Amino acid sequence: MNEITFGILALFLLLCLFLTGIELAFGMAIVGFVGFAMLNDFETAISLLANDYFDSLASYSLTAIPLFVLMGQIAFNAGIAKRLFDTTHKFIGHIPGGLAIATVAGATVFKAICGSVAATAATFASVAVPEMDRYGYSKKLSTGIVATVGTLGVLLPPSVVLIVFGIITQQSIGKLFMAGIIPGLILSFFFVVVIFGWCRINPSIGPKSEKYDWPARWKTVPNVIWPIVIFLVLIGGLMYGVFTPTEAGGIGAFAVLVLCLFKRDVNFKGFTKSIAESLRTACMVLMLIASSTILGHFIAITQIPQVAADTITALPINRILIMCIIFFVYLLGGSFIDDLAFMILATPIFFPIIIKLGYDPLWAGIMIALTVCVGSVIPPVAICVFIVKNITKVPMGVIYSGVYPFLISMVLCVVMLFIFPELVTWLPNLLMK
């Protein structure tokens, strides 16, 4: 049995391990360690195991993950999203579908300080859905948009997915953040268009709320200004090289904490809860990255990435079709295991292929992130849908029927980025030369 065949069998065994319910990080570490030991020797594999875990977890760049996660958890537990929704409600709630559009607008601003998809879905399921219920909104629209709008956190900085992608592919996290802004805003705009069109076709699904006077509206504006200021400081600092992504995470977490303490939105119990939730999430992501490093070294010696890149690029088919196949694999894999975990697993194999096809690495990162967006709302592993169901108690079928119209927006965004890749590369090339 040659190394490539052995590697393919090992990856198939890994997928079988995932189906048993084993923790994803442990599954990758076991297969990587055992496979490396069988192709080399046990002592070398033990050394690899120790060095990879130590080097990965001692990496300075990885500290950006817990810091940005802490930043988002403080914002989540402090009720910032509720105030953002209240502000956008007062400004646009009086138009057809206004509360659903307010949810998109509030979530877009909230994503500027929270990169967690799950936290966004949970927050707006608790805040926006009851308010839409009060005005007689269709459950399809209210739960569908709340389940979908959390996906913006995958594209808009500070995105944990983009941070992880940057680390495993050795791309600039600052440039990836810049690259995700325009696609994220385009996706937000498409969500608004779907809501507006849906409510024009059937006005009963998104009734108008009361219209507030301008003094009441202006009173809520500071709720939006401060998160935007924090976002601009972080992005500006990254753009001009004032601080690194890790320093940006520390500054962002501190700024959000000071803001919440100043407004008395978070107490000691809320702060400790934010730390505990951040540690849980960050440890999961860090273990996935460390374990994927071990698996990556095993895959590298099997030469699967190199052979796959040479074979696929030599196929007599259009490179766009090849990319569609790759993204379909990401979707298919994310249907059985967590999308972030599958991205960590698959990217070392497919990223060299994408680069050899001549695509920009920043564009590849955003397109993979968009695929993760789709994977987080389609069955069977649809984390956002599960969260909304658990909070609202609305049947899964109703939520999915509300999600499907917004999937059209995601598909259109993917098509647009295929046709106009400059939408991804223009901003980082302009601001971060």
Side-chain angles (χ1 to χ4, degrees):
M1 183 185 299
N2 60 32
E3 293 176 340
I4 295 176
T5 304
F6 182 78
I8 293 173
L9 290 175
L11 291 177
F12 178 75
L13 174 62
L14 178 61
L15 294 177
C16 294
L17 280 177
F18 289 159
L19 295 177
T20 67
I22 190 173
E23 290 294 333
L24 305 179
F26 297 153
M28 288 191 284
I30 290 170
V31 171
F33 170 73
V34 173
F36 197 92
M38 293 182 70
L39 290 181
N40 287 276
D41 58 77
F42 184 77
E43 290 184 2
T44 305
I46 285 288
S47 177
L48 175 78
L49 184 70
N51 289 334
D52 279 352
Y53 267 114
F54 179 81
D55 291 343
S56 297
L57 299 179
S59 172
Y60 174 74
S61 61
L62 285 181
T63 55
I65 295 174
L67 289 171
F68 277 118
V69 172
L70 176 61
M71 174 181 167
Q73 288 298 335
I74 293 174
F76 168 62
N77 289 310
I80 290 178
K82 183 177 181 180
R83 294 199 302 273
L84 291 173
F85 176 75
D86 181 62
T87 301
T88 52
H89 174 193
K90 285 182 168 59
F91 272 88
I92 58 178
H94 60 281
I95 65 175
L99 292 182
I101 296 174
T103 301
V104 176
T108 301
V109 178
F110 185 63
K111 297 318 297 182
I113 55 175
C114 178
S116 171
V117 171
T120 304
T123 302
F124 283 90
S126 303
V127 172
V129 172
E131 194 70 7
M132 285 188 268
D133 287 345
R134 190 163 70 90
Y135 287 96
Y137 271 61
S138 165
K139 289 289 188 182
K140 288 183 181 180
L141 176 58
S142 62
T143 58
I145 186 57
V146 168
T148 309
V149 81
T151 61
L152 294 172
V154 178
L155 293 174
L156 294 173
S159 165
V160 174
V161 171
L162 292 181
I163 294 173
V164 172
F165 179 86
I167 291 171
I168 62 179
T169 61
Q170 298 183 341
Q171 298 299 311
S172 166
I173 294 174
K175 286 187 175 182
L176 284 168
F177 280 178
M178 291 286 113
I181 292 176
I182 292 179
L185 294 178
I186 290 173
L187 193 56
S188 296
F189 174 74
F190 282 170
F191 287 166
V192 171
V193 171
V194 170
I195 294 168
F196 185 77
W198 200 354
C199 291
R200 286 296 297 270
I201 296 171
N202 185 5
S204 64
I205 68 168
K208 302 177 183 179
S209 69
E210 69 268 26
K211 187 175 182 178
Y212 291 87
D213 57 24
W214 281 103
R217 294 176 182 177
W218 288 119
K219 189 177 179 180
T220 64
V221 168
N223 296 337
V224 177
I225 289 178
W226 284 113
I228 292 177
V229 168
I230 294 173
F231 173 77
L232 292 177
V233 169
L234 297 183
I235 294 301
L238 288 171
M239 183 175 65
Y240 291 106
V242 178
F243 38 71
T244 65
T246 298
E247 292 165 346
I251 292 169
F254 179 75
V256 171
L257 178 60
V258 169
L259 174 63
C260 295
L261 291 175
F262 179 77
K263 291 182 172 291
R264 298 181 179 178
D265 291 327
V266 64
N267 53 24
F268 182 75
K269 183 179 179 181
F271 178 64
T272 55
K273 182 182 178 183
S274 299
I275 292 178
E277 292 170 346
S278 302
L279 283 173
R280 189 179 302 112
T281 303
C283 287
M284 177 197 72
V285 175
L286 293 175
M287 284 298 293
L288 283 171
I289 293 174
S291 298
S292 71
T293 303
I294 299 170
L295 182 66
H297 280 131
F298 164 62
I299 293 174
I301 64 172
T302 64
Q303 298 184 340
I304 288 177
Q306 298 89 335
V307 173
D310 293 338
T311 303
I312 293 176
T313 53
L315 292 175
I317 57 177
N318 190 284
R319 66 174 189 162
I320 294 178
L321 180 59
I322 295 175
M323 290 300 300
C324 290
I325 295 172
I326 291 174
F327 293 140
F328 177 76
V329 172
Y330 272 96
L331 281 178
L332 188 63
S335 297
F336 295 99
I337 63 175
D338 180 77
D339 292 278
L340 177 60
F342 189 78
M343 187 199 78
I344 294 173
L345 172 64
T347 298
I349 297 174
F350 291 116
F351 185 71
I353 299 173
I354 296 172
I355 298 305
K356 195 159 186 177
L357 288 171
Y359 287 102
D360 187 277
L362 296 180
W363 179 89
I366 299 305
M367 294 298 288
I368 291 173
L370 260 175
T371 307
V372 173
C373 282
V374 176
S376 63
V377 291
I378 62 173
V381 184
I383 182 64
C384 290
V385 175
F386 291 150
I387 290 171
V388 173
K389 177 189 180 298
N390 290 335
I391 293 175
T392 64
K393 308 304 179 185
V394 175
M396 295 282 284
V398 174
I399 302 175
Y400 277 127
S401 63
V403 164
Y404 291 141
F406 298 103
L407 284 177
I408 299 172
S409 302
M410 297 182 180
V411 173
L412 288 176
C413 190
V414 169
V415 172
M416 182 176 287
L417 296 186
F418 257 118
I419 299 173
F420 305 107
E422 296 82 8
L423 292 171
V424 173
T425 58
W426 176 74
L427 194 61
N429 289 340
L430 175 69
L431 299 179
M432 299 185 71
K433 294 181 179 179

